[in-house]
Structures are given as C-alpha cells and as structure tokens.
Amino acid sequence: MSSCVVDLPEDIIVKILCRLPVKSLIRFTCVSKRWRSLIISDPKFGKSHFQFASQQKTLRRKVLLTSYPAVIEPGSTPNACYDGSWKKWAEDKFITLFQSLDDKFSVKNFTFPSEEIEDLEEMGSCNGLVLVGRPCRDHYKSLFIWNPSTGFFRKIPHPSFRMKSGRYFLNYGFGHVSASDDYKLVSVVPAPNDMLEVHIFSLSANIWKVITAPYSSYPCWVNRHGTFSNGAIHWVTPCGNKTLDPVIYAFSLAEEEFRRVPLPPVLWQNEEDRNPTKITTLVHLGGYLCIWSRKCFDTQGGEVWAMTEYGVPESWVKLFQFNIHDFRNVFDVEQSPWDLCFITEGDTMVLRLNKELLWIECRNEEKPVCSGRYRLEKVQPKLSNLAFYFRATIYDETLVSVAE
C-alpha cells in the first residue's frame, strides 16, 4: 500500500495551527523554518491565535514569579523587605530570576534574553506581553517588553523626564488599545507650573509622546503601579483627605485622557484620622475593575470589591470580607508579612507571604479555606543580612508579539 502525503494550502495549515495550544505549537517550531517563523515571529499569526483562544475561552494563564535578593538595613526588622526599609544589593550583583508556575504547581525557569538583568522587576502584563524594567524613584534604568512563552523581546527607549529631583515617585502602567491594536506604556510625573506630564510609549509606533494634564489629577496616588482594566490604567487617591473624597483616576489609553471613577462611599464614611482606609486597585482575572480596602495600621484583613458594570458607581459589589486570623491553621499570622496579589476568575484570592503563595477560597459567609499553596524553592545563596523578595503576577500564555 503506497503512502500519500497531502500538501495542504497555507491558509488551511494556519487555521489548524490557530486551534492548537501554545505548548504544542512551541514544540512544532522544530518542524521547519517556515513553521518556526510563523509561530514565533509572525505578529499576525500571534494575534489570530490569541483572538481564537480568547473567543473559545481556552487561554491558559500562569503565575510569573520574579525574585531577587535584598539587603536588610542594620537595625531594621526581619520583615524589612516588605515594609520598605530594604535596599538592593549593590556590591555583589545578583540577577533577577524569572519562573512560571502553572495550575499544577509545576515550575519552569526562564532565561531572560538580556544581559541587563540586575534588579529587574515585573511592571505589568497584558495579553501575554510582560513589561520588565528597573523603575527608580523618578526615572527608569531599563525597560523591556517580553513574552515569556515565545522569548519575544524588545528594548524600550528611555523617556526624557524634565524633572529629576528625586522628590517624587514615578507612576506607571501598561495595557492594550483594542481599536488600534496597540500596546502602550504610560509614565506619569509632575511637571512645572502645577501641571502633570503623561509620557506615553506606543509599541506600534516605537516612539514616546508627552501630553499634559492639571496637577489636581495627581494629588498623591496610593500605588505607583497602575492596574489595567477596561482599556484604562487605574490609580487610587488616598483616604484621610478632609477636602477631597478618595477616587480612582483612570487614564484611557485610547482617548489619552484622565477620568474619575467613583469609589463606594461606604468604604470611608466612618473614617478615622489616625487610622485611614487604604484602597488599592487589583487585577481580577474576570476582567472587572477590582479594589482592596483595608486600614493603614491594621493588617488583619480587609474587603474586596468589584465594579460589575464598568463606569457605573451603583454596580460596586463586595465580593468578600476576610480576616487574617481565619488562617491561623495555615501560617503564623503574627509574624508573617503578607500581601494580596490578584483575584482569579472564580473569586479566589492569591496571597503572597514570605516565600509562599496561598490560594484562599472565600464563599459567602463561610470561613476562608486554603485550597492550594506553593513554596518557592531556595534559589539564592545564604548570606548575612540578605533577605529574599519576590513578586507574583498573572500572564497569559500567548504567541503575541509586536513588530518594530
């Protein structure tokens, strides 16, 4: 019986490949140079594959772990790397380590495609592209766009900030404009004459542009890292201001302008001057704009709210309220510094503490339950005064790239 090789048309092959998972496609890059170029380097194919996976709800999401050592200042507490009284190791250079963690807790180590790998941080992710850099107080030392799934990598030129006094903090965010299929990095800094400079980098145009806005849009945002949701980057103003109610400032990436998004008034109606409420935006994998509310000087728990209809103040709903003492059987709540990383599509909280990630299920009035935990492997040498610090965020496993 003779064998028969069917030579399929190119468009049919592309349609078939678009329906396969990223993991399989990466293996198929060894079939031929054409397949490798298509899968790894073709932005059009990467976009088509992402759109199909999004429509079919087959996108795989992984946790990106970014870890690096930090030196504890003399006289500081053992938890100093979490309360800000730590500094980066300066004399002996230690590289930043990147790892992925899937839903079965299997770990993959990445080789970052640049020699500039000291003190890098993950600064945001969108559609599988991760913004990586070294954001200092008032400037950047390095900026990159990276797809961990394919190795796609681009260095971003540094913006030119007019003010470099070291007296303000650089605020930033990263997201996607659906209408123009462009990815944008936004950096917000004060400018002379009580104005605000918004530096916007377009990946498709490969240039920075600068627009100005009234300084009143920037009283003092709680987090430097803005959260991307519904086409905009979001920051929260602090509570405790007797003249201004706390509000979310959203910068639309399409219109390139600020707008205000109201917060639930119940969060600060009984505000105490000595212990104000701290509100920060969160990543919710269901696509909602999400916030975490807790007291500044009370780390015992908090409330998580979601805006179920974007831009509609009446659509804020409280997803859950939790107290850290409910987790006494999971970890030492008195000694372990912790942070809330993100919320899954199923409304599961992912907490970071010491060298662990915890998946916490909160259902109605029932007690929170720990449904999963992962402890980071020891990846740094033991040295005196050396603490271990890591971040955890979510990224989509995609083939997305952006041509220069």
Side-chain angles (χ1 to χ4, degrees):
M1 183 175 180
S2 61
S3 61
C4 179
V5 177
V6 179
D7 189 9
L8 295 175
E10 178 82 0
D11 61 329
I12 300 298
I13 293 176
V14 170
K15 288 181 180 179
I16 293 173
L17 294 179
C18 270
R19 285 157 171 76
L20 299 178
V22 170
K23 186 175 181 180
S24 297
L25 290 173
I26 296 299
R27 290 203 305 266
F28 294 162
T29 57
C30 63
V31 170
S32 68
K33 290 182 178 180
R34 169 58 186 150
W35 277 33
R36 179 174 180 80
S37 176
L38 177 72
I39 295 169
I40 298 295
S41 307
D42 190 329
K44 185 178 178 181
F45 176 75
K47 178 182 176 181
S48 298
H49 183 273
F50 171 72
Q51 290 176 335
F52 184 83
S54 299
Q55 293 167 1
Q56 299 297 314
K57 301 186 183 302
T58 57
L59 269 180
R60 289 196 64 192
R61 288 187 164 125
K62 293 187 175 183
V63 179
L64 180 65
L65 304 174
T66 310
S67 57
Y68 49 85
V71 175
I72 304 298
E73 296 280 14
S76 60
T77 64
N79 297 333
C81 60
Y82 284 86
D83 62 26
S85 56
W86 55 274
K87 67 178 181 179
K88 301 288 180 64
W89 188 262
E91 297 175 358
D92 294 324
K93 298 296 184 180
F94 288 89
I95 62 173
T96 301
L97 299 173
F98 295 96
Q99 299 172 304
S100 70
L101 182 68
D102 66 15
D103 52 6
K104 296 181 180 178
F105 294 164
S106 63
V107 177
K108 177 182 177 180
N109 295 316
F110 291 118
T111 299
F112 190 73
S114 172
E115 294 180 357
E116 301 177 49
I117 198 170
E118 295 164 0
D119 298 335
L120 291 181
E121 298 179 11
E122 172 275 322
M123 299 168 57
S125 70
C126 182
N127 298 348
L129 297 179
V130 180
L131 177 65
V132 178
R134 294 177 65 186
C136 299
R137 187 182 182 95
D138 61 357
H139 66 285
Y140 299 112
K141 288 189 176 180
S142 301
L143 279 174
F144 307 97
I145 293 294
W146 175 45
N147 186 329
S149 302
T150 65
F152 166 76
F153 173 80
R154 267 180 63 180
K155 186 171 183 176
I156 297 177
H158 293 187
S160 298
F161 299 133
R162 286 191 287 170
M163 296 178 66
K164 290 189 177 180
S165 63
R167 290 180 292 180
Y168 65 87
F169 283 99
L170 181 66
N171 294 270
Y172 55 85
F174 175 63
H176 181 242
V177 184
S178 299
S180 59
D181 191 28
D182 192 10
Y183 292 85
K184 293 183 179 181
L185 163 62
V186 174
S187 300
V188 184
V189 296
N193 303 318
D194 293 326
M195 295 296 289
L196 196 66
E197 279 188 356
V198 184
H199 295 248
I200 307 165
F201 182 79
S202 162
L203 257 69
S204 61
N206 198 39
I207 58 172
W208 285 95
K209 65 181 289 188
V210 182
I211 64 173
T212 57
Y215 192 80
S216 59
S217 302
Y218 181 86
C220 181
W221 295 335
V222 176
N223 265 14
R224 298 175 63 192
H225 184 176
T227 301
F228 177 69
S229 177
N230 293 273
I233 309 294
H234 300 81
W235 298 269
V236 185
T237 59
C239 300
N241 190 318
K242 294 183 179 180
T243 59
L244 295 173
D245 289 337
V247 69
I248 296 175
Y249 275 96
F251 185 78
S252 169
L253 295 182
E255 286 81 21
E256 296 184 348
E257 61 184 20
F258 283 103
R259 59 174 177 260
R260 294 161 62 97
V261 179
L263 287 162
V266 68
L267 295 180
W268 71 88
Q269 283 179 341
N270 300 316
E271 191 67 21
E272 301 175 15
D273 292 339
R274 294 184 178 181
N275 192 13
T277 302
K278 182 178 181 180
I279 302 173
T280 52
T281 52
L282 277 175
V283 173
H284 190 295
L285 301 184
Y288 300 121
L289 177 60
C290 200
I291 57 173
W292 174 28
S293 170
R294 70 278 194 198
K295 290 297 182 180
C296 287
F297 305 112
D298 180 4
T299 59
Q300 304 306 310
E303 300 176 354
V304 175
W305 292 66
M307 181 176 264
T308 56
E309 188 176 348
Y310 185 73
V312 179
E314 296 77 19
S315 70
W316 281 111
V317 296
K318 183 163 64 173
L319 295 182
F320 37 75
Q321 182 173 347
F322 65 96
N323 191 299
I324 205 70
H325 288 286
D326 293 331
F327 310 139
R328 286 187 178 277
N329 62 327
V330 179
F331 63 92
D332 186 348
V333 299
E334 305 297 339
Q335 300 297 325
S336 300
W338 62 280
D339 193 15
L340 180 52
C341 297
F342 56 88
I343 310 293
T344 71
E345 288 175 294
D347 292 342
T348 298
M349 297 188 301
V350 178
L351 303 183
R352 175 192 67 179
L353 68 150
N354 289 336
K355 296 182 181 180
E356 286 190 293
L357 285 179
L358 301 180
W359 278 254
I360 305 295
E361 307 281 350
C362 293
R363 294 289 180 268
N364 300 323
E365 301 300 322
E366 300 176 7
K367 268 195 170 185
V369 176
C370 179
S371 60
R373 63 192 304 166
Y374 172 76
R375 182 171 179 82
L376 271 73
E377 298 178 359
K378 295 179 180 179
V379 291
Q380 297 287 2
K382 287 186 177 180
L383 295 174
S384 60
N385 295 331
L386 187 65
F388 192 73
Y389 187 77
F390 81 98
R391 299 174 186 269
T393 191
I394 283 288
Y395 74 98
D396 296 320
E397 194 175 48
T398 74
L399 303 172
V400 172
S401 63
V402 182
E404 291 193 49

